Amino acid sequence: MSEDQLPPLREVIARHGLAAKKALGQNFLFDLNLTRRIARAAAPLDGGTVIEIGPGPGGLTRALLLEGATRLVVIERDARAIAALEDIALAFPGRLTIIEGDALETDYEALAEGRPAKIVANLPYNIATPLLVGWLSAKAWPPFFASLTLMFQKEVAERIVARPGGKDFGRLSVLSQYRCTARKLFDVNRSAFTPPPKVTSSIVQLVPRASPLPACRLDVLERVTAAAFGQRRKMLRASLKSLVPEPEPMLAELGINPEARAEQIEVEAFARIAAHLG
């Protein structure tokens, strides 16, 4: 079998009984123009390992291979999809490795084999944020990945890329932007999926910062953002009292307005606080 002999995805789904399972957060993409657009956003794909999570019947998998991925590793929890993915592997000899397993339990650094990997995925909605936080919390930095090109629910995507001053800016914004540059590439209408989800989706790309500035301990940064955003309506001089009995002198020393609220503070300022504390 060659790539031009692969059957249409709808036929694949019917043959293998691949009706999307809500419990697995599955929504399948059939539009090859769209999946190739996602794959191109992560290009070039031929320099190392490309990792896809939750490929299902393989719509994005095909696109990644067509756009030049030479070593593609897919992680699929749904045993029903494995046979469909094996057909794709036959069409692209030596280029596709299939792992049947849980994406939350996977050793991604081992998959990368010592070279920066690219993760490109239409993430299952129910594990998207935990996966992202796990990757961003890697102890070794720069991490195992060169880029993350990921689909999220639009509201989650907006939180990842949000700038200070709006309601979307929060702990996920700070973690994402402290460790990476993050940008939203484009939205994907719900009608592009089968079955259509109830929400619009968005593609976000994150590229690791070589050296986040100022450097701070990630666990301390997480404590600072938990305290600050845990009481969003309070000024920093009040919300940070769980960490510092009298926050005002510290904030003054760091050049941060003690009367500001968490959503008004730049990512770099949160890092300065964390560096001071830890």
Side-chain angles (χ1 to χ4, degrees), residues 205-273:
Q205 190 166 71
L206 300 101
V207 177
R209 296 185 188 276
S211 53
L213 296 175
C216 68
R217 282 172 44 193
L218 199 62
D219 61 329
V220 179
L221 179 64
E222 289 171 347
R223 289 206 303 271
V224 170
T225 57
F229 287 102
Q231 304 180 74
R232 292 182 73 109
R233 296 188 177 185
K234 290 189 175 182
M235 299 176 185
L236 289 179
R237 68 186 185 192
S239 63
L240 296 182
K241 281 188 175 180
S242 61
L243 302 177
V244 186
E246 294 294 335
E248 286 201 56
M250 175 193 71
L251 293 168
E253 180 184 339
L254 296 174
I256 299 169
N257 180 4
E259 296 186 354
R261 292 173 173 80
E263 68 265 22
Q264 299 171 307
I265 302 299
E266 295 285 341
V267 172
E268 181 264 346
F270 280 109
R272 290 209 312 275
I273 297 170

Side-chain angles (χ1 to χ4, degrees), residues 167-205:
K167 63 179 177 60
D168 291 325
F169 185 70
R171 295 178 66 186
L172 187 59
S173 319
V174 175
L175 176 61
S176 300
Q177 296 171 41
Y178 173 68
R179 287 221 128 167
C180 296
T181 58
R183 62 193 181 111
K184 191 176 87 166
L185 301 184
F186 54 88
D187 292 333
V188 180
N189 193 283
R190 54 188 298 275
S191 63
F193 298 89
T194 299
K198 295 179 180 179
V199 295
T200 299
S201 300
S202 301
I203 302 295
V204 172
Q205 190 166 71

Side-chain angles (χ1 to χ4, degrees), residues 15-48:
R15 181 194 306 167
H16 296 286
L18 276 171
K21 284 186 176 180
K22 188 175 182 180
L24 296 177
Q26 291 176 327
N27 299 92
F28 300 144
L29 284 172
F30 286 161
D31 185 341
L32 187 58
N33 290 325
L34 175 60
T35 53
R36 292 189 75 159
R37 185 182 179 192
I38 296 168
R40 285 194 297 272
L45 299 173
D46 58 355

